[in-house]
């Protein structure tokens, strides 16, 4: 029986007839937790070769193998959107990462801002979250997770032709909207709790590629702002249209 | 010093010169945790009398009193939006409740659907979450929380003239949007993990007040769908415009 409820993210190339060896944790999940046996079918993807129907060809306690049967979806690329966010408390940063995968972003870029409460950002943990979220939501790609960098450095090296949507807390009720910017490569910038410093605000206001947007009259938590901004971008410029 | 970082939701009438007795938990929070002393100032609201600057007039360990000085914001009502959702796992239901306050809704209505995993919905816990979220996000009103009811009963008694936006998972890529419905009283319906049953889908498709909307091509978790739908409604029909 084709059990499409199980969807596994792998690190190896996928192709017709391709055999894939499982890591110990994957074997434990499939055979120990999900109780799959030889011959069982599941979906696999690796972020670049599309989605494949695969069959369990070997099921041991700590190892196993799958065989790719047929491609069921061809590879899709994420919308060309970067989510730039100041790390907040761990649980809320986890939410930002999970939701960015569900809603759709190509890169997750943590930045250190003047008011960032300097919570450490664990790139490896975020990458694990990205894989889990992608398995769950049906995404075929994995957003690239970057190490945290200062906001000023990111702005300095900002690429030409990419719009930076700045969720500006002080713009409550302003008329700037996502729809009023042109389509094309984009980034979304979400501040930490407490927003941006006057110096940062001055800088952002001056930069020609920055497009300030309002997220309504109430104070949104950082992860709410990230989800709301991703949603509005997807609905106006992304793959929800 | 006016410390606007502290914002307290009270259960009593507020007015110029009005004295307000604090409950034990409130006294503990203000004087034990936040270390306020007599003469300290904070913001208070109760969901109907606007927002007031108040001063601590008595600060004891387990009790205390505030005096209302001046109204700083007049009362605002929430957008006439009901959020109707199937309870999911506790932590994710908490997220739905918190975000509905931040993003703006007038009523929170849990419904039991065919695929609802029958997690118990604790109305009292949800109400406490509503108050905390309102204190944090600057909302002046508290969404009304209802007891869980069967979806069928809610649909049967649906009021005339209110649009029900149905986040329909099967519509990925469809063209239905929030913007294509008229302004006015509204509800948003979010299903449980697993979506709606064929019988529910048939019923919803037939009802004239139901307006199906798509939330993009990926499978969103229930709380992500709730946040995304609230965002899109606010941006097209609500107080974010």
């Amino acid at each position: 029986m084709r059990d499409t409820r199980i969807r596994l993210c792998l690190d190896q190339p996928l192709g017709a007839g391709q055999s894939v060896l499982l890591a110990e944790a994957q074997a434990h999940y499939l055979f120990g937790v999900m109780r799959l046996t030889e011959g069982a079918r599941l979906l696999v993807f690796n972020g670049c070769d599309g989605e494949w129907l695969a069959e369990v060809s070997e099921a041991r306690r700590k190892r196993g193998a799958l065989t790719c049967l047929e491609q069921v979806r061809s590879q899709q690329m994420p919308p060309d959107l970067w989510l730039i966010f100041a790390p907040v408390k761990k649980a809320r940063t986890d939410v930002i990462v999970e939701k960015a995968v569900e809603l759709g972003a190509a890169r997750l870029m943590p930045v250190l801002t003047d008011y960032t409460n300097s919570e450490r950002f664990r790139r490896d943990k975020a990458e694990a979250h990205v894989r889990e979220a992608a398995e769950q939501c049906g995404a075929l790609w994995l957003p690239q997770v970057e190490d945290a960098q200062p906001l000023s450095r990111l702005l300095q090296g900002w690429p030409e032709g990419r719009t930076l949507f700045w969720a500006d807390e002080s713009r409550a009720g302003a008329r700037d909207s996502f729809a009023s910017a042109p389509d094309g490569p984009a980034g979304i910038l979400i501040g930490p709790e407490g927003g941006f410093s006057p110096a940062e605000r001055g800088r952002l206001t001056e930069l020609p590629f920055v497009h300030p947007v309002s997220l309504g009259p109430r104070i949104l938590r950082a992860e709410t702002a990230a989800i709301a901004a991703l949603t509005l971008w997807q609905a106006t410029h992304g793959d929800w249209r």
Side-chain angles (χ1 to χ4, degrees), chain A residues 1 10 20 22 28-29 34 38-39 44 51 53 63 66 69 83 111 122 136 154 161 166 168 177 182 186 205 220 232:
Chain A
M1 212 190 80
L10 298 169
V20 178
L22 296 170
H28 173 73
Y29 170 71
M34 301 308 291
E38 280 178 26
V44 297
E51 185 171 60
L53 181 65
R63 63 194 173 92
L66 307 177
L69 300 178
L83 179 65
V111 285
R122 288 279 304 267
Q136 188 272 327
L154 180 78
W166 168 32
D168 179 1
S177 73
T205 306
L220 303 186
L232 292 174

Side-chain angles (χ1 to χ4, degrees), chain A residues 28-194:
Chain A
H28 173 73
Y29 170 71
L30 291 184
F31 313 133
V33 180
M34 301 308 291
R35 304 278 171 190
L36 296 195
T37 51
E38 280 178 26
R41 292 177 173 194
L42 68 158
L43 295 172
V44 297
F45 67 107
N46 63 1
C48 56
D49 293 326
E51 185 171 60
W52 288 77
L53 181 65
E55 190 175 72
V56 175
S57 45
E58 187 194 353
R60 306 277 182 107
R61 227 167 65 91
K62 295 191 169 184
R63 63 194 173 92
L66 307 177
T67 303
C68 292
L69 300 178
E70 54 166 328
Q71 195 184 47
V72 288
R73 284 199 290 162
S74 58
Q75 184 58 32
Q76 292 160 5
M77 295 315 290
D80 190 1
L81 177 65
W82 300 353
L83 179 65
I84 300 147
F85 62 98
V88 284
K89 277 182 189 153
K90 193 190 159 302
R92 295 188 187 266
T93 299
D94 288 350
V95 171
I96 293 176
V97 169
E98 177 181 299
K99 298 319 176 200
V101 181
E102 280 179 60
L103 296 166
R107 282 169 94 174
L108 304 184
M109 307 167 83
V111 285
L112 306 172
T113 67
D114 290 347
Y115 296 163
T116 299
N117 228 324
S118 195
E119 302 277 343
R120 201 167 148 231
F121 180 76
R122 288 279 304 267
R123 184 173 155 182
D124 55 339
K125 299 268 183 192
E127 283 170 341
H129 263 97
V130 160
R131 297 168 68 99
E132 272 171 43
E135 288 175 344
Q136 188 272 327
C137 78
L140 287 179
W141 31 263
L142 301 169
Q144 186 185 329
V145 181
E146 311 221 330
D147 286 319
Q149 62 176 310
L151 174 62
S152 54
R153 194 203 298 159
L154 180 78
L155 294 176
Q156 214 153 27
W158 192 258
E160 216 181 299
R162 181 175 292 272
T163 304
L164 178 58
F165 292 92
W166 168 32
D168 179 1
E169 291 195 328
S170 72
R171 300 224 156 214
R175 297 219 144 257
D176 309 290
S177 73
F178 281 87
S180 66
D183 279 350
I188 287 172
L189 174 61
I190 301 292
E193 318 271 328

